[in-house]
Amino acid sequence: MTDIASRLSGAGTNALELRGMSRYFGALAALSDITLTVKPGERRAVLGSNGAGKTTLFNCITGDFLPTTGSIRLFGEDVTTFPAHERIRRGLRRTYQISLLFGGLSVFDNIYLACAGVSRGRFSMLRPRKNDALVAAAEDLIVTVNLAEHRETLVNVLSYGQQRQLEIALALAGAPRFILFDEPAAGLSPTERSDLITILTSLPEHIGYIIIEHDMDVALRVSESVTMMHNGRIFKEGLPQEIEEDPEVQELYLGGGHG
Amino acid sequence: MAVVDHKTFDTNDADKEGVSEPSRTGVYWAVGLILVILPAFTGEFILSDIVSRILVMGMIALSLMFLAGYGGMVSLAQLTIAGVAAYMTAVFGTSAITEISIGLTWWIAVPIAIIIAMIFGTMVGALSVRTEGIYTIMITLAISAAFFFLANQNYDIFNGFSGINQVLPPVFVGVNWGNTIPFYYLCLFLAAVSYALVLYVSRSPFGLALQGIRDNPRRMAALGFNVTAHRIAAYTFASLVAGVGGVLMVWMNTAISPGAVSIAVVIDVLVMAVVGGLGHPVGAFLGAAVFIILETFALDVLETLGLPGERFQLLIGIGFLVIIFWSDDGLLGLWRKWRERSAKRDPLLGDLEGDGK
């Protein structure tokens, strides 16, 4: 399914299609029978309590590990057995809940690496010259994400909020078509939260995403549809408002058990 | 699971900020000048048995430094890869063992030898890069041990225990490169090129990505990098450096035998790289210098002091123990510690204040 024809036939189909996907860790079913469809450009929030399988879902979609059963289609192409880098090169991106950045490198070098990863210059043993396309792409991106003033700062030294910002920047390198955001707002201050909402809502329309977010306020403002997960299964799907008002969801997530 | 953690990046940056650009260039010029005019001051013994050996073994240690320092892959196969190049130079070139040596002229035999070493090194990489830490060490150690026994027992290609002798450096443009001074300059030139090349590649997209993979392979895959392919390519590059070192090694000794690729020497190369420091290419040469100087003179020092000379290995061991004990990155680490102590550090950021001295 890697030939051009099959990829072209993917045009106009769903951005992401999961069919009957399960993932077991030994006897534990971290995910069971997940069937999920996301249209191109659609923005989806995934909600659920701790251990609901949200991050496992992301890890399976990224290719950090393979699903035990089921299939994953990305823009119509079956990528179930593809390694992570092959999926990334097809336009998938992801951010991590706990920032996975290169702390000893400068902000610019981090962004440069992200741009290099999805380009053909990956293996270049020649240092970039002036007017190098990759350097230019990295320069553009650093401005887009408002980190230009910290260009040469070592990432270790950045504030937490700036690190989260950089985490998002890495996902925007190259030509992303579909992004998985894993709790991008966690630990951010109210101002940083509203900045994040601005970044997410001003993404180009063709870029769809799934966002895992505990903060209902953020989640419901940046998404068009909501999937509610519970114990590794999909529990409810619907519009943000429906989910918010659903009594079962309220029972389970918004207050149930907490008084 | 990186063997060398983020310190390496910090080192590079500390170098950038701590030592001002002119003073670093000054050090390069001074060391370069001393090495170039060295033959005017030293005798044949120092030049051929000490300095040239340091340069050759330093190149092999450099190939390990590249993999371990930038890639987090401690390969014990680098001396063996050099050994493959050495043996192949003997097999494809000329030697006293005419039944084995094909007798090609050196400028054909040497490239063939280096290419075979690079193919061999790439295969070693392909076998070992999916493992981490101690398992990489075990796999590459097993390959080295296997190669030693193969060379020791095979008489068709490797001439068994006695190896292949009379593998002489070429006479080229009217110079006999086997003579002490020309051979020294040949080693110096190739060592300097290797050093510069490693330093250059470390800041290229390939080298940056390799360091990214060392620190965070999972994230690098999620940025679109093929981690496995990248690591294998690093082995190929390191094998080029080791291969050139191997050709010099066989010319230096004018022979190659299993003893030169034994596990003892494999460990020596590891000791050189670690004692020198894995944070910067210069560490490989510093380590080789300390090792070879200690190895050569420890016996004399002990006897001068009236102690039994046969205990010289003990003195070497203590020397290394002291370095490893006091430093987190060999001699480079000691140097950094000393500089940090003499420079004021911002307690919060860890930056050197001012242009540290």
Side-chain angles (χ1 to χ4, degrees):
Chain A
M1 290 298 277
T2 53
D3 56 16
I4 292 174
S6 78
R7 256 195 254 177
L8 287 179
S9 74
T13 60
N14 292 316
L16 181 72
E17 237 181 273
L18 307 177
R19 289 235 181 96
M21 192 175 80
S22 309
R23 170 71 205 193
Y24 292 89
F25 294 105
L28 173 80
L31 290 176
S32 33
D33 198 26
I34 301 285
T35 297
L36 183 76
T37 308
V38 187
K39 293 192 283 289
E42 184 183 335
R43 281 124 199 238
R44 171 84 57 113
V46 172
L47 305 179
S49 49
N50 286 329
K54 306 183 298 293
T55 298
T56 308
L57 177 74
F58 273 19
N59 288 341
C60 278
I61 299 173
T62 320
D64 280 351
F65 41 69
L66 301 180
T68 314
T69 62
S71 71
I72 304 168
R73 293 179 87 85
L74 197 62
F75 297 100
E77 188 179 8
D78 189 341
V79 298
T80 313
T81 56
F82 282 25
H85 64 266
E86 288 291 349
R87 305 181 193 202
I88 301 300
R89 290 175 195 176
R90 280 162 176 74
L92 181 71
R93 297 288 185 279
R94 93 163 274 186
T95 70
Y96 289 85
Q97 188 178 355
I98 300 152
S99 292
L100 285 178
L101 300 165
F102 305 102
L105 289 183
S106 70
V107 171
F108 180 80
D109 283 349
N110 270 265
I111 293 182
Y112 179 79
L113 272 181
C115 292
V118 286
S119 82
R120 297 196 176 278
R122 279 184 297 267
F123 280 99
S124 173
M125 293 204 178
L126 298 176
R127 288 189 191 173
R129 280 183 264 171
K130 272 188 184 164
N131 310 322
D132 180 88
L134 271 182
V135 173
E139 298 281 9
D140 282 351
L141 186 53
I142 202 170
V143 172
T144 313
V145 295
N146 297 323
L147 284 170
E149 54 184 311
H150 303 289
R151 194 177 186 284
E152 296 304 326
T153 313
L154 287 188
V155 169
N156 283 335
V157 181
L158 287 182
S159 75
Y160 181 79
Q162 287 163 339
Q163 290 191 4
R164 302 298 300 170
Q165 220 170 321
L166 181 59
E167 182 73 35
I168 290 173
L170 299 191
L172 298 178
R177 295 201 283 173
F178 195 76
I179 309 178
L180 307 171
F181 291 108
D182 196 346
E183 292 202 39
L188 294 187
S189 70
T191 339
E192 288 167 335
R193 254 160 222 250
S194 73
D195 286 350
L196 174 73
I197 292 173
T198 316
I199 292 178
L200 292 181
T201 47
S202 58
L203 284 176
E205 266 180 32
H206 72 277
I207 300 178
Y209 57 73
I210 299 182
I211 181 169
I212 296 176
E213 189 48 69
H214 275 304
D215 185 338
M216 288 293 269
D217 214 34
V218 175
L220 299 178
R221 281 172 67 185
V222 298
S223 56
E224 301 153 355
S225 54
V226 177
T227 298
M228 177 84 197
M229 286 181 73
H230 186 59
N231 284 341
R233 292 176 180 279
I234 290 182
F235 181 67
K236 275 264 152 66
E237 278 186 292
L239 297 172
Q241 216 177 357
E242 292 170 8
I243 295 292
E244 206 177 6
E245 287 164 4
D246 188 292
E248 276 185 302
V249 171
Q250 286 183 354
E251 172 67 23
L252 186 76
Y253 185 58
L254 297 178
H258 298 287
Chain B
M1 277 304 149
V3 173
V4 185
D5 58 15
H6 304 263
K7 269 174 272 160
T8 318
F9 277 141
D10 297 342
T11 317
N12 294 341
D13 286 297
D15 277 348
K16 230 181 334 192
E17 292 152 21
V19 181
S20 64
E21 215 38 61
S23 91
R24 196 151 60 131
T25 319
V27 170
Y28 270 117
W29 278 109
V31 172
L33 190 70
I34 291 169
L35 287 171
V36 166
I37 61 173
L38 194 65
F41 303 101
T42 51
E44 191 132 310
F45 171 74
I46 297 280
L47 217 50
S48 68
D49 283 26
I50 309 271
V51 191
S52 294
R53 267 187 77 206
I54 290 173
L55 293 170
V56 172
M57 295 312 283
M59 283 175 72
I60 299 170
L62 178 67
S63 88
L64 169 56
M65 177 274 149
F66 178 80
L67 288 176
Y70 296 128
M73 302 177 280
V74 179
S75 161
L76 293 188
Q78 298 317 107
L79 176 82
T80 304
I81 292 164
V84 169
Y87 266 110
M88 290 305 119
T89 306
V91 168
F92 286 94
T94 52
S95 78
I97 318 295
T98 46
E99 314 81 271
I100 290 175
S101 288
I102 293 172
L104 296 175
T105 173
W106 69 273
W107 50 266
I108 299 179
V110 167
I112 291 177
I114 291 175
I115 288 169
I116 291 176
M118 287 173 76
I119 293 171
F120 177 74
T122 308
M123 282 159 46
V124 171
L127 271 175
S128 63
V129 295
R130 282 164 214 275
T131 60
E132 300 260 354
I134 192 85
Y135 297 99
T136 310
I137 295 176
M138 291 312 294
I139 286 186
T140 50
L141 183 65
I143 291 168
S144 291
F147 183 77
F148 167 75
F149 285 113
L150 174 70
N152 207 17
Q153 291 165 2
N154 176 295
Y155 283 83
D156 297 329
I157 301 174
F158 299 101
N159 201 32
F161 177 73
S162 50
I164 304 173
N165 61 347
Q166 286 288 315
V167 188
L168 301 174
V171 177
F172 180 57
V173 290
V175 178
N176 181 357
W177 294 94
N179 288 341
T180 303
I181 293 179
F183 187 70
Y184 166 73
Y185 280 118
L186 180 67
C187 292
L188 182 60
F189 173 74
L190 289 173
V193 169
S194 310
Y195 172 82
L197 191 66
V198 166
L199 209 53
Y200 178 86
V201 167
S202 75
R203 291 297 296 174
S204 70
F206 176 81
L208 268 183
L210 185 64
Q211 293 167 73
I213 287 169
R214 171 197 64 195
D215 292 343
N216 215 328
R218 184 170 158 219
R219 183 51 189 261
M220 289 301 278
L223 290 179
F225 289 94
N226 184 342
V227 169
T228 307
H230 218 93
R231 284 175 168 163
I232 293 174
Y235 266 89
T236 310
F237 174 76
S239 302
L240 170 65
V241 176
V244 174
V247 172
L248 289 177
M249 185 169 78
V250 67
W251 283 348
M252 176 171 70
N253 303 322
T254 68
I256 179 75
S257 64
V261 293
S262 68
I263 296 303
V265 190
V266 166
I267 303 297
D268 289 349
V269 171
L270 176 70
V271 169
M272 288 175 201
V274 172
V275 162
L278 295 170
H280 192 276
V282 80
F285 292 100
L286 286 178
V290 169
F291 187 94
I292 286 166
I293 289 170
L294 269 177
E295 193 186 49
T296 314
F297 295 111
L299 189 135
D300 299 332
V301 170
L302 284 177
E303 285 187 338
T304 316
L305 295 173
L307 297 163
E310 67 268 22
R311 295 272 179 256
F312 75 99
Q313 296 277 21
L314 190 66
L315 190 65
I316 298 177
I318 291 173
F320 296 149
L321 210 59
V322 166
I323 293 171
I324 299 299
F325 190 77
W326 291 106
S327 165
D328 55 0
D329 191 23
L331 291 170
L332 290 178
L334 283 183
W335 159 244
R336 215 175 304 134
K337 249 187 184 175
W338 176 78
R339 221 178 51 199
E340 274 169 29
R341 199 169 293 175
S342 49
K344 267 192 192 161
R345 270 197 169 249
D346 184 318
L348 193 65
L349 304 181
D351 284 345
L352 292 169
E353 277 176 8
D355 209 22
K357 235 294 168 89

